[in-house]
C-alpha cells in the first residue's frame, strides 16, 4: 500500500515547483476576493481540467462539469473511487473545494490523478504556499494515515487520511 502513496507523493512534488510559479505570475495577489476564491466553480473545473489536458503523461482523468453547489462531481471515466465537491457563496464564487477518495483503488491512473489534482487545487488557490503544504501532504500519503491543517491568507487547508478513506478540503477560513 505504501507504493501507492509514494506515487501520489511523487506526483505532488514533481508538479508543484514549476506550476506554482506559473500560477503565481498569472493570478492577482490574495486567494480570497469578495468573500470567495477568485473563481466560479465552473471556472475552477475548467482550470484543473485544462491542466490535466496539458499533462504529457496521458494518465490524468478529467472531472465532469460543475452542476450545483455541493453536488458530487465524478471522474469522467465513471470511477466511484474519487469525487470532488465544490461549494459557492451567494455571489456565485467558489468558497470550498473538497476531494474524497478511497485508497483501496487499484487503478494507477486514478492514483496519479488524485496526486495531480491535490497539487492543482493548491496551485490554483494558494500558489505561494503550495510547495510548503505539499511536504506535509506527502508525509501523510506515505504513512497512509494522519491529519494536517493549515490556515494561510484567509484559506483553511486540511487533509485527513484514515482507514483507506481520504478527505482534502480547501475552504475559506472562519
Amino acid at each position: 500500500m505504501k507504493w501507492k502513496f509514494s506515487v501520489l507523493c511523487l506526483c505532488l512534488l514533481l508538479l508543484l515547483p514549476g506550476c506554482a510559479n506559473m500560477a503565481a505570475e498569472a493570478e492577482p495577489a490574495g486567494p480570497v476576493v469578495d468573500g470567495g476564491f477568485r473563481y466560479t466553480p465552473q471556472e475552477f473545473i475548467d482550470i484543473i481540467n485544462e491542466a490535466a489536458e496539458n499533462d504529457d503523461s496521458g494518465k490524468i482523468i478529467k472531472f465532469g462539469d460543475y452542476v450545483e453547489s455541493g453536488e458530487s462531481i465524478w471522474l469522467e471515466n465513471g470511477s466511484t473511487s474519487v469525487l470532488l465537491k465544490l461549494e459557492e457563496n451567494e455571489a456565485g464564487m467558489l468558497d470550498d473545494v473538497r476531494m474524497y477518495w478511497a485508497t483501496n483503488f487499484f487503478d494507477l491512473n486514478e492514483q496519479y490523478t488524485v496526486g495531480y489534482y491535490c497539487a492543482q487545487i493548491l496551485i490554483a488557490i494558494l500558489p505561494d504556499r503550495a510547495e510548503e503544504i505539499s511536504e506535509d501532504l506527502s508525509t501523510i500519503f506515505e504513512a497512509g494515515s494522519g491529519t494536517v491543517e493549515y490556515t494561510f491568507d484567509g484559506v483553511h487547508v486540511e487533509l485527513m487520511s484514515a482507514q483507506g478513506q481520504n478527505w482534502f478540503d480547501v475552504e475559506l477560513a472562519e
Side-chain angles (χ1 to χ4, degrees):
M1 178 136 80
K2 280 192 170 190
W3 67 270
K4 292 179 186 179
F5 295 110
S6 295
V7 170
L8 293 174
C9 297
L10 179 61
C11 293
L12 279 172
L13 293 174
L14 289 175
L15 291 173
L16 288 174
C19 295
N21 291 336
M22 290 186 319
E25 292 170 7
E27 298 296 337
V32 179
V33 179
D34 297 328
F37 299 130
R38 58 182 159 254
Y39 311 106
T40 66
Q42 186 58 54
E43 288 171 337
F44 184 77
I45 287 287
D46 292 343
I47 288 167
I48 63 174
N49 278 341
E50 182 179 326
E53 288 175 4
N54 293 330
D55 178 67
D56 293 336
S57 73
K59 296 178 182 179
I60 305 301
I61 305 163
K62 294 187 339 182
F63 277 106
D65 285 336
Y66 175 76
V67 178
E68 185 177 321
S69 186
E71 291 294 316
S72 297
I73 303 167
W74 301 96
L75 293 175
E76 287 186 344
N77 71 347
S79 169
T80 58
S81 295
V82 182
L83 76 93
L84 182 68
K85 287 190 177 193
L86 304 177
E87 293 185 18
E88 63 183 284
N89 64 18
E90 293 171 358
M93 300 307 287
L94 183 66
D95 67 5
D96 193 352
V97 178
R98 289 188 179 153
M99 189 166 65
Y100 304 90
W101 68 95
T103 55
N104 60 353
F105 51 62
F106 297 102
D107 184 323
L108 290 178
N109 287 351
E110 288 178 15
Q111 292 172 31
Y112 187 83
T113 295
V114 165
Y116 190 84
Y117 281 124
C118 284
Q120 290 304 316
I121 291 166
L122 289 173
I123 291 165
I125 296 175
L126 286 169
D128 295 338
R129 301 291 187 156
E131 191 169 356
E132 177 180 350
I133 295 168
S134 73
E135 291 174 14
D136 281 342
L137 297 183
S138 294
T139 301
I140 291 173
F141 286 151
E142 288 174 8
S145 66
T147 302
V148 66
E149 290 186 64
Y150 284 101
T151 301
F152 295 117
D153 305 324
V155 179
H156 181 254
V157 178
E158 182 175 16
L159 172 69
M160 295 178 66
S161 180
Q163 299 177 346
Q165 301 301 313
N166 304 277
W167 168 23
F168 182 57
D169 187 20
V170 180
E171 64 183 344
L172 294 178
E174 294 186 16

